[in-house]
Amino acid sequence: MAVLAHAEAGEIAARLRDLALPAHQDLRAPESGLVMLRGRVGGDGAPFNLGEATVSRAAVRLASGEVGFGYTLGRDGEKARLIALCDALVQSRDFGGLVERSVIAPLREQLMVRRTRAAEETAATKVDFYTMVRGEG
């Protein structure tokens, strides 16, 4: 689910387009709303409300009965629907392996490449600070 949440809707749709998808229906049409973000001081202190974030969600049921749910930050309802469809397909005995190989694995690879590139760019700007002891004194 994390791989799908970090992917672009167009990337997911393009990979699903190559598959012969089974009949499915929307149980919950894509909708957007707000969720409260909570934090804790120091990671284990008293909780506090940090703010709100926009989230989109959807639910899809395959003709064979599997139900998938999709949530994503932002107001991209189509992405939430695609995530829900992938969730349902992964649960299917007939489509689980195919979706893992054709959709999720390539998206995971792209995500790892992007993260590695971002880490390399960040590392290139690293500055090592050190203190020189002056001989006065």
Side-chain angles (χ1 to χ4, degrees):
M1 296 307 288
V3 170
L4 295 171
H6 284 85
E8 297 293 326
E11 295 173 331
I12 300 169
R15 300 215 175 266
L16 285 174
R17 216 174 287 126
D18 296 336
L19 304 179
L21 298 176
H24 58 279
Q25 67 180 20
D26 290 348
L27 283 181
R28 174 173 299 184
E31 58 187 1
S32 296
L34 295 172
V35 294
M36 180 60 66
L37 302 176
R38 303 207 66 197
R40 290 184 179 271
V41 176
D44 60 355
F48 64 93
N49 292 337
L50 181 65
E52 295 175 330
T54 306
V55 176
S56 295
R57 68 180 180 176
V60 171
R61 179 181 10 220
L62 300 182
S64 55
E66 293 85 358
V67 176
F69 299 92
Y71 290 82
T72 187
L73 283 173
R75 298 186 317 180
D76 192 347
E78 180 60 18
K79 180 177 176 183
R81 193 184 70 72
L82 291 170
I83 291 172
L85 179 57
C86 286
D87 183 36
L89 289 169
V90 166
Q91 296 174 52
S92 168
R93 205 172 338 123
D94 298 331
F95 291 93
L98 179 64
V99 170
E100 175 62 37
R101 285 187 311 275
S102 302
V103 179
I104 297 173
L107 292 174
R108 182 181 298 118
E109 181 71 26
Q110 288 178 355
L111 177 61
M112 296 308 293
V113 167
R114 283 196 301 260
R115 285 184 175 174
T116 301
R117 186 177 303 126
E120 289 170 352
E121 290 172 1
T122 301
T125 64
K126 180 180 175 184
V127 177
D128 290 321
F129 292 96
Y130 59 93
T131 303
M132 292 181 54
V133 178
R134 295 182 63 170
E136 302 170 1

